[in-house]
Amino acid sequence: MGRRAEREMVDQLLAQARAGRSGALVVRGEAGIGKTALVEQARAYAVAAGFRVESSAGVEAEAHFAFASLHQLCGPMLDHLDALPDPQQTALGVALGLRAGPAPDRFLVALATLSLVAEAAEEGPLLCLVDDAQWLDEASAQVLAFVARRVAAERVALVFGLRDTGASVGHPLAGLPELRLEGLAESDARELLAGAVRTPLDDVVRDRIVAEARGNPLALLELPRGAALARLAGGFELPDAHNVPYRLEEAFRGRSAGLPTETQLLLLVAAADPTGDTELLWRAAAHLGISTDAAAPAEVAGLLEIGTRVRFRHPLVRSAVYQAATPPDRRRAHRALTAATDPRSDPDRRAWHRAQSVQGTDEETAAELERSADRARARGGLAATAAFMQRAAELTPQPSARARRALDAAQAMQEAGASEAAQEMLTVAAAQPLDDLMRARMKLLRAKLAFHLTRFSEVPEMLLDAAKSVASLDAALSRETYLDALDAAIMLGGPGRPRDAVRVAESARSAPPPSEPPTPADLLLEALVTTFTEGYEAGVPGLRRAARAFCDDPPPAHVAAETDERRWLWLASRAAIALFDDDLAHRLNSRNVRMARDAGALAVLPVALVNLSTNLLLEGDFARAEELAAEEAAITMAIGAAPMPFTRLALAAWRGNEAETIDLLTAVAHSADGRGVGAEVTWAEYASAVLHNGLGDYPTAVAAATRACEGDELPQSNCALPELVEAAARADRPDLAAAALDELDLRARVSGNPWGLGIAARSRALTSTGAVTEDHYREAIELLGACRITTHLARTHLVYGEWLRREGRRQDAREQLRTAHDLLTGMGADAFAARAARELRATGERPRQRTAQPTDALTAQELHIARLVATGATSREVATQLFLSPRTIEAHLRSIFRKLDITSRRQLKELKLP
């Protein structure tokens, strides 16, 4: 009633899904506002339209059971499981408890769910309904939110019902298309009330009910049922109510309170059991001596319905009944459910009921919960692990055991991203007696939480303290923590911030000796310590050895786990850039992306994509860099992580797009200021320097490049130093240019790679006079032509041509400027290309215009897909790599074929894609 526009919105979503344009919709509003009614309307429409409909519902008491709601939704579709790639089959099977195996990455489970849904939709359009999403277990909520953001052309619609609560603000579904249900219009409210109360109402009473219900349909239906009809007709007034859901709970509580004692107890048992299992309810009732006749008064009162499932009139009935019960009665109900639950088929739910039935402490129950936590962790349910361990700690009588379990709970919470809850559990642990290992674990957890919550400058010191504390207890963990501390110091250092990396590296000298043979991470720690304590020249051999150790394929036998290698690959790739080793950096970053893709590790893939796209940018492959940046942005949005616009920022700067660069600079600065990440500011300053060098605004470029060189991260200062030399030389700041050149030249000579030597030679040319200047330019072109860094090769031709024109050698200048213009225009470095064009015109030559390419019409994602298909990859293979469905890839291919005016994959292979 009164929901025409809302129904049309749902109908449109389903019509689009049936036509091959998938989508999601979150129906949001307060309790009783009609979300479930609209969800059921969607079900009826979908069934009539030939959809397959699968559904799930969150249950408050189920929120601690990992993947419970996902299992409910996916269970009927598991006959398609065999069609999934093997890693996805395994991940989803382990998560749903169908097979044994190591805990899967949560986003690999999400990829598997997306693939499963896509496979099911191949047979016909599919509607997935998820009601009471505010009570989804965290693992299911994250997976379903990912699926909702990644569906595209699969003929899938997802509709979620989400209640407005204080906790819903940061819900994983936030940001999806939303339909907010408001109260009914007054005319509709009066019509609904008239249909609900057959007895004539006094006008004053009717007005009062309509006003206080505020258009909430359930309030209009339920509030009058709590009053005597005679009083409703004779001037009965309801008390003021500002919270309709609370009023509704009170109304349901009042109706249940008038039922027989045995019926109230049966209602309580039903409320305490989230499964809705009728047989379980009657087994528990029998344990309490409750007869089946006890259900009749509750059914007559409209509170409960017992059929093939146990269903409450509304979720508020469940919460009203449970909250109204006394603690002894709740424990009694949970004891009955403990006795009725099979410990073999459902050990975790039995353990949970048993834990709620205990008053005080109970070691046996705590141990049972700990076993449940272990099973939850094995399935990848970190939130469930934390919930089980938290309750286990509360039930533990022995103080030291309570401290250990509290620490385990805090660690699970930290890994699950519940940082504030983890801090609370650390407070619980701190109140107990701690041994040395526990104290060391607590320090390490506090440091990690501080890094994720605040990124304050104290974090490296906290990590150092933790590393020292654990040194005699776990040497490998101590070394990892020292590496974490050094990494944090590098990331937090930047313009205007004190440099902590040297001090942290000095402390890391006391780290325990590495294993034999040392792992790549061991080598990386030693190399970074040497570099920051003894200088760049002393550190280069170790950096080279460490970076190359991460290139071994397959991983060396002494690497404990592939996940450990992935953890530090990005840092190893930055060590390669610190060495000006473009080839090694490209190999490491490509390996990092490949390993993250293969593992479905979407939490780390965006960082890997940013690093590889930065490589491609410097190599002059702006198109591929943009493709990866677009993929990073899509994945970041899908997993609900903070955006990382660093490649997009650098691309905008190299292209000379001033407005976009400034917008992104502002966004990065604001984000970094909130988290205290100096490395992000350093990168932003580098991008600003590139932009203003391209535009010829050299004083501004000098200021930005100077700040970019203040950070502790060598890769960023390696990129910023040549910008500073060029800007300072052109801004008539010879002393500043000379100082930057000295540092750049030292690093280039020590590293010995063409990239560094080439830009050092160009920088010497920019600061030189006389005949030697040309020798330096020619040396730079020869060296940079021998490496991947085409951007700086093109810019060297540009500045060489500018110098030649000013020397009056117009013919020689044209040759260099023509080459520079062609290279810069081809890669899309428009501002630098414009500089080359101006210089060419000054020599009397008109620069050639870039010929438009058919591929210019493709989006970054379409170009990425086209490249992959052109290599011979099937739609399913491309879909697996890009975490999309084959149907979505086919939809993109149709668009690609249309834009390129081709009709086959063979023709796509024949095209020369940029």
Side-chain angles (χ1 to χ4, degrees):
M1 181 176 292
R3 299 294 192 198
R4 180 177 177 180
E6 291 86 345
R7 291 200 311 270
E8 288 178 353
M9 191 170 179
V10 172
D11 292 351
Q12 183 181 18
L13 172 75
L14 296 176
Q16 289 176 343
R18 187 170 54 180
R21 298 189 301 277
S22 298
L25 183 65
V26 178
V27 181
R28 192 166 190 159
E30 67 180 16
I33 202 67
K35 300 182 297 298
T36 299
L38 199 61
V39 167
E40 291 305 315
Q41 175 78 19
R43 181 195 299 275
Y45 177 92
V47 170
F51 277 70
R52 173 178 180 172
V53 180
E54 301 298 346
S55 60
S56 177
V59 179
E60 189 171 13
E62 287 262 87
H64 297 311
F65 292 89
F67 300 111
S69 297
L70 185 68
H71 197 299
Q72 186 182 359
L73 181 70
C74 292
M77 296 184 279
L78 289 176
D79 54 328
H80 295 283
L81 189 62
D82 291 343
L84 273 57
D86 288 341
Q88 294 184 20
Q89 283 189 46
T90 300
L92 189 58
V94 172
L96 300 185
L98 304 176
R99 64 173 68 180
D105 182 279
R106 59 177 172 159
F107 292 118
L108 185 56
V109 176
L111 294 174
T113 304
L114 175 63
S115 298
L116 186 73
V117 166
E119 289 293 335
E122 285 295 313
E123 299 176 350
L126 171 68
L127 171 62
C128 296
L129 296 174
V130 182
D131 204 4
D132 285 319
Q134 72 278 0
W135 287 329
L136 289 175
D137 62 276
E138 184 177 352
S140 294
Q142 290 173 339
V143 167
L144 293 174
F146 174 88
V147 172
R149 291 185 173 97
R150 292 297 279 181
V151 289
E154 298 83 0
R155 294 191 297 171
V156 174
L158 297 97
V159 177
F160 300 89
L162 180 65
R163 182 191 299 182
D164 280 329
T165 66
S168 65
V169 176
H171 197 276
L173 299 177
L176 289 173
E178 187 174 286
L179 170 57
R180 181 173 292 278
L181 292 187
E182 305 293 348
L184 296 176
E186 184 172 335
S187 59
D188 293 318
R190 288 181 180 277
E191 183 180 348
L192 183 61
L193 181 61
V197 182
R198 300 298 181 183
T199 303
L201 286 175
D202 180 273
D203 289 343
V204 174
V205 175
R206 181 187 296 107
D207 292 345
R208 185 70 167 183
I209 292 174
V210 169
E212 292 197 349
R214 292 182 296 153
N216 185 292
L218 189 62
L220 290 162
L221 292 171
E222 297 295 338
L223 291 179
R225 298 182 62 173
L229 294 180
R231 295 178 65 195
L232 284 173
F236 174 80
E237 289 190 357
L238 298 172
D240 289 335
H242 299 290
N243 188 325
V244 171
Y246 175 76
R247 284 287 313 286
L248 289 173
E249 278 197 282
E250 285 294 305
F252 288 133
R253 192 175 292 126
R255 283 160 62 184
S256 65
L259 299 175
T261 302
E262 192 176 60
T263 302
Q264 290 187 47
L265 187 55
L266 181 66
L267 276 172
L268 177 57
V269 174
D273 167 46
T275 67
D277 186 334
T278 302
E279 292 184 6
L280 177 65
L281 175 65
W282 291 128
R283 288 199 302 271
H287 183 80
L288 293 168
I290 299 173
S291 69
T292 56
D293 295 338
E299 290 179 314
V300 170
L303 298 174
L304 189 72
E305 183 181 301
I306 301 179
T308 56
R309 308 289 298 171
V310 180
R311 301 181 189 277
F312 281 94
R313 168 77 173 83
H314 189 274
L316 288 175
V317 179
R318 179 191 295 275
S319 60
V321 168
Y322 194 82
Q323 295 301 324
T326 64
D329 281 344
R330 289 184 202 166
R331 291 193 293 270
R332 189 179 173 196
H334 282 292
R335 274 195 296 273
L337 287 165
T338 302
T341 302
D342 187 343
R344 289 165 298 184
S345 64
D346 205 350
D348 297 337
R349 191 167 281 107
R350 183 182 183 278
W352 189 255
H353 282 307
R354 183 177 178 182
Q356 307 313 309
S357 72
V358 172
Q359 183 177 20
T361 59
D362 185 320
E363 173 57 31
E364 187 177 339
T365 302
E368 189 175 345
L369 278 173
E370 189 166 13
R371 290 190 289 273
S372 292
D374 290 340
R375 286 189 290 269
R377 180 178 285 278
R379 294 194 300 272
L382 290 172
T385 302
F388 283 129
M389 287 308 304
Q390 180 177 2
R391 182 60 178 149
E394 293 168 356
L395 294 175
T396 304
Q398 209 274 331
S400 61
R402 187 184 307 128
R404 178 183 61 78
R405 285 170 175 155
L407 284 172
D408 288 344
Q411 182 167 338
M413 290 168 178
Q414 183 260 328
E415 292 172 359
S419 299
E420 293 180 0
Q423 286 185 317
E424 292 176 6
M425 287 311 298
L426 287 179
T427 301
V428 172
Q432 315 302 319
L434 303 174
D435 61 23
D436 291 342
L437 181 58
M438 290 179 185
R439 277 190 288 273
R441 285 186 62 196
M442 179 173 289
K443 288 181 179 180
L444 182 55
L445 277 170
R446 287 196 190 282
K448 289 182 176 180
L449 288 170
F451 187 60
H452 288 293
L453 284 172
T454 64
R455 298 283 178 95
F456 286 159
S457 57
E458 294 85 355
V459 169
E461 192 65 44
M462 295 174 70
L463 285 166
L464 280 179
D465 191 25
K468 294 172 185 175
S469 297
V470 79
S472 62
L473 306 168
D474 189 332
L477 178 59
S478 176
R479 291 183 63 81
E480 280 189 12
T481 307
Y482 275 115
L483 193 51
D484 276 327
L486 192 50
D487 181 26
I490 294 170
M491 293 299 294
L492 292 171
R497 295 180 179 273
R499 291 188 172 183
D500 286 337
V502 173
R503 182 179 55 79
V504 172
E506 289 285 358
S507 296
R509 284 181 175 277
S510 61
S515 59
E516 286 296 336
T519 67
D522 287 328
L523 296 175
L524 189 56
L525 175 62
E526 297 296 333
L528 289 172
V529 167
T530 301
T531 301
F532 282 108
T533 58
E534 300 179 30
Y536 183 86
E537 185 170 1
V540 161
L543 288 174
R544 184 175 291 118
R545 182 185 176 202
R548 289 176 177 172
F550 280 91
C551 273
D552 292 341
D553 197 7
H558 56 268
V559 175
E562 195 178 77
T563 53
D564 293 332
E565 184 186 5
R566 286 204 312 269
R567 180 182 177 191
W568 298 114
L569 253 174
W570 76 274
L571 192 55
S573 70
R574 302 197 71 73
I577 296 177
L579 296 168
F580 291 111
D581 194 330
D582 52 296
D583 186 65
L584 182 56
H586 187 99
R587 287 164 58 199
L588 286 168
N589 282 320
S590 298
R591 178 178 175 82
N592 198 11
V593 169
R594 184 177 67 253
M595 291 177 69
R597 285 196 198 282
D598 292 345
L602 297 195
V604 299
L605 180 58
V607 175
L609 289 170
V610 165
N611 286 337
L612 179 56
S613 61
T614 300
N615 264 120
L616 294 169
L617 167 65
L618 292 172
E619 293 167 16
D621 196 342
F622 287 13
R624 285 200 63 207
E626 187 172 27
E627 292 167 28
L628 298 188
E631 184 183 357
E632 171 272 314
I635 291 174
T636 296
M637 183 188 72
I639 66 177
M644 293 187 293
F646 309 117
T647 302
R648 297 192 293 282
L649 169 59
L651 277 168
W654 274 90
R655 286 171 170 160
N657 189 327
E658 188 170 11
E660 183 182 359
T661 304
I662 291 173
D663 287 345
L664 289 169
L665 284 170
T666 302
V668 169
H670 178 74
S671 172
D673 184 62
R675 297 196 308 277
V677 183
E680 295 179 7
V681 177
T682 302
W683 182 254
E685 296 290 2
Y686 159 72
S688 179
V690 171
L691 171 72
H692 290 102
N693 270 334
L695 296 174
D697 182 359
Y698 299 113
T700 302
V702 165
T706 300
R707 290 190 293 270
C709 291
E710 293 175 0
D712 285 326
E713 195 172 13
L714 291 172
Q716 292 185 350
S717 55
N718 276 4
C719 291
L721 282 168
E723 302 299 335
L724 179 55
V725 173
E726 179 173 347
R730 294 293 175 85
D732 198 23
R733 299 283 302 277
D735 292 344
L736 188 57
L741 173 60
D742 287 344
E743 180 63 27
L744 177 60
D745 193 56
L746 169 66
R747 295 185 190 183
R749 284 187 291 100
V750 172
S751 61
N753 289 306
W755 174 11
L757 292 169
I759 57 174
R762 184 186 78 201
S763 297
R764 283 195 297 275
L766 284 165
T767 58
S768 299
T769 57
V772 71
T773 302
E774 186 162 16
D775 293 337
H776 292 320
Y777 277 129
R778 291 189 175 279
E779 179 187 4
I781 289 172
E782 181 180 356
L783 287 165
L784 290 169
C787 71
R788 293 173 173 269
I789 310 302
T790 307
T791 49
H792 282 290
L793 173 63
R795 285 178 60 179
T796 302
H797 283 291
L798 170 61
V799 292
Y800 183 21
E802 289 173 335
W803 178 80
L804 287 169
R805 189 183 73 79
R806 283 158 182 73
E807 290 291 306
R809 297 166 57 182
R810 296 175 64 182
Q811 188 63 38
D812 292 337
R814 286 173 187 164
E815 180 182 349
Q816 296 300 323
L817 292 169
R818 194 181 303 125
T819 300
H821 186 263
D822 289 347
L823 287 172
L824 292 165
T825 302
M827 69 180 67
D830 295 339
F832 291 103
R835 267 177 54 182
R838 286 193 299 271
E839 291 290 325
L840 269 174
R841 283 191 289 270
T843 69
E845 179 173 321
R846 182 182 295 274
R848 287 181 295 185
Q849 297 295 317
R850 178 180 178 271
T851 304
Q853 301 295 319
T855 52
D856 291 347
L858 300 182
T859 67
Q861 186 177 46
E862 287 172 342
L863 187 56
H864 197 176
I865 291 170
R867 288 184 200 278
L868 294 172
V869 172
T871 66
T874 65
S875 293
R876 185 172 292 277
E877 290 168 341
V878 176
T880 300
Q881 177 166 338
L882 299 185
F883 312 125
L884 296 167
S885 74
R887 183 178 286 271
T888 296
I889 299 302
E890 291 292 340
H892 281 300
L893 274 176
R894 288 193 291 273
S895 175
I896 292 166
F897 287 175
R898 184 180 68 254
K899 291 179 179 180
L900 299 182
D901 195 24
I902 60 176
T903 58
S904 70
R905 292 168 181 256
R906 180 183 57 78
Q907 290 174 287
L908 188 60
K909 292 180 183 179
E910 293 170 356
L911 288 176
K912 293 183 178 180
L913 296 173

